[in-house]
Amino acid sequence: MSKNYNVLWIDDQHESLTALHKTATDFGIQLWPFKSMNGGCDELNENLTKYDAVLLDAKFFENEDDVPGTEDTKWVHQTKEKIRDLDRTLSYFVLTGQAKTYASPEFNNAFPNVFNKGLDEDEDTLFNMLVGACQNRKLTKLKHKYHNPFEMCTDTYLGKKHFDRLHNLVLDIENPSQIKIAQDSLIRIRKIVEAIFIKLNEIGCIPDDIIQDKGWISGSSFFLSGKNSNYTYYQNIIHPVISFNIFKILSISQDGCHNEGSNLGVDAYMAANTNTFLYQSTVLLLLDTLDYLKTFIDNNSEIEKNQATWE
């Protein structure tokens, strides 16, 4: 899979800079443009995990509906502070057509990466540096390594509120020597599985009767396994390996979310064990499940119940 990067761009004249979009595309970068500090920063605050870097003009509006003539360099300084408050791992660059600003030692001290808009050599250097900054950012590396699972944690699929949950689980897999198992880790896993069931219900793969039942979590897993005698199955709803994954994930996570466990004693077992293999294997099963379901959801629009794999 080719690597692409999302870069937030604030430039009050972005609508007239179509050539810059093409240049960005050539470097594998998609620019998401705004005209103002508040427009760009509100978007960054709302969808922080989407972006891999930030590109700024030196002078732009405070608000998206401001009128020409109200642009000011003070907004770029405030934007820099907002970016740093949100996420210090986000690199920011300035591309300006303001000759005085470009040559200003004071401005260059505040913004070490300043480039001249319209100068091909400068723009090529800028985009090479943008790509480098994205490639070297730890979160961006993880988003590419676990692309489908992280894509599942967006509002198109399970909801972006699950992104941080998955990120913490992935960090454990990436740094197993630093794992500190707690019930919170297993709760994160269970919450993501619950979101999977809700999404599968939305696209018609789990009946409303199952989701609305008191024991809907275990009931959803049981239904997906093809073993619910209240329904006639004509074929597998999802791959049997994935339904087995989900069963195992829930067996561990639900039991481990209760002190001493309810059936398996997972909490006590993990606390007494010197290794973290059981926990790591559960996270890996979740990653495999999310990877499969991204493609499954993409390939399946809402299923008409009279043509479904069950009735």
Side-chain angles (χ1 to χ4, degrees):
M1 181 188 69
S2 60
K3 294 184 178 180
N4 293 291
Y5 305 102
N6 292 313
V7 174
L8 185 86
W9 180 29
I10 304 179
D11 190 318
D12 59 292
Q13 297 181 338
H14 69 76
E15 292 171 337
S16 64
L17 298 171
T18 55
L20 205 63
H21 279 283
K22 184 179 184 307
T23 302
T25 301
D26 291 341
F27 281 86
I29 290 173
Q30 179 163 358
L31 296 173
W32 298 86
F34 294 85
K35 296 180 179 180
S36 69
M37 173 184 72
N38 286 334
C41 290
D42 285 350
E43 165 65 12
L44 197 60
N45 188 59
E46 184 71 16
N47 295 295
L48 182 61
T49 57
K50 172 181 177 177
Y51 295 102
D52 305 305
V54 179
L55 178 60
L56 305 168
D57 191 6
K59 183 185 286 189
F60 44 75
F61 298 129
E62 180 184 14
N63 302 296
E64 287 293 297
D65 56 358
D66 286 350
V67 299
T70 60
E71 310 92 335
D72 202 299
T73 55
K74 69 180 178 181
W75 307 127
V76 75
H77 290 278
Q78 291 188 26
T79 298
K80 180 184 78 169
E81 295 306 315
K82 289 175 182 288
I83 293 168
R84 295 176 70 183
D85 288 343
L86 285 170
D87 188 344
R88 287 182 174 268
T89 72
L90 271 177
S91 297
Y92 49 87
F93 300 80
V94 175
L95 180 64
T96 179
Q98 303 282 329
K100 287 180 62 177
T101 303
Y102 178 77
S104 166
E106 182 182 35
F107 190 85
N108 280 270
N109 284 335
F111 296 89
N113 297 308
V114 182
F115 300 90
N116 197 338
K117 187 185 295 181
L119 188 64
D120 288 346
E121 184 179 347
D122 256 30
E123 290 184 2
D124 284 348
T125 301
L126 163 67
F127 282 109
N128 276 311
M129 290 186 68
L130 268 172
V131 169
C134 295
Q135 286 177 336
N136 292 318
R137 185 171 177 246
K138 289 182 179 180
L139 177 56
T140 300
K141 288 180 180 179
L142 292 178
K143 287 195 298 181
H144 284 283
K145 183 175 180 178
Y146 302 95
H147 179 262
N148 281 352
F150 276 117
E151 277 294 298
M152 284 286 285
C153 294
T154 63
D155 285 342
T156 303
Y157 300 94
L158 307 184
K160 63 188 176 186
K161 67 181 179 181
H162 298 290
F163 188 97
D164 286 341
R165 288 181 177 135
L166 183 64
H167 185 207
N168 284 317
L169 296 172
V170 165
L171 287 176
D172 284 344
I173 294 300
E174 291 289 310
N175 304 284
S177 64
Q178 298 177 25
I179 291 176
K180 295 181 180 179
I181 299 173
Q183 283 184 342
D184 286 350
S185 300
L186 297 177
I187 290 172
R188 290 188 191 105
I189 294 172
R190 191 188 68 191
K191 289 291 185 183
I192 293 174
V193 174
E194 290 174 9
I196 288 171
F197 292 153
I198 291 170
K199 185 63 179 181
L200 291 179
N201 168 251
E202 287 177 1
I203 66 171
C205 289
I206 297 177
D208 292 343
D209 289 348
I210 298 290
I211 292 292
Q212 294 165 5
D213 188 66
K214 183 179 179 181
W216 69 279
I217 299 173
S218 296
S220 295
S221 176
F222 189 64
F223 174 80
L224 291 174
S225 72
K227 299 176 181 177
N228 190 317
S229 61
N230 293 323
Y231 296 87
T232 299
Y233 296 84
Y234 297 106
Q235 64 185 65
N236 293 320
I237 297 172
I238 57 176
H239 196 287
V241 168
I242 300 303
S243 61
F244 182 67
N245 280 358
I246 291 172
F247 170 76
K248 290 195 69 175
I249 293 166
L250 282 178
S251 297
I252 299 298
S253 63
Q254 284 191 294
D255 192 275
C257 287
H258 302 86
N259 290 332
E260 300 304 321
S262 55
N263 294 306
L264 302 175
V266 167
D267 184 60
Y269 176 82
M270 286 186 169
N273 215 325
T274 57
N275 69 63
T276 59
F277 300 149
L278 177 62
Y279 170 66
Q280 289 184 65
S281 68
T282 307
V283 176
L284 289 171
L285 286 175
L286 178 64
L287 289 170
D288 184 55
T289 300
L290 290 170
D291 190 76
Y292 166 87
L293 288 173
K294 163 68 167 59
T295 303
F296 177 84
I297 292 169
D298 288 344
N299 292 339
N300 289 274
S301 57
E302 187 166 348
I303 299 171
E304 295 292 339
K305 296 201 175 174
N306 63 352
Q307 298 176 344
T309 55
W310 49 267
E311 68 176 10

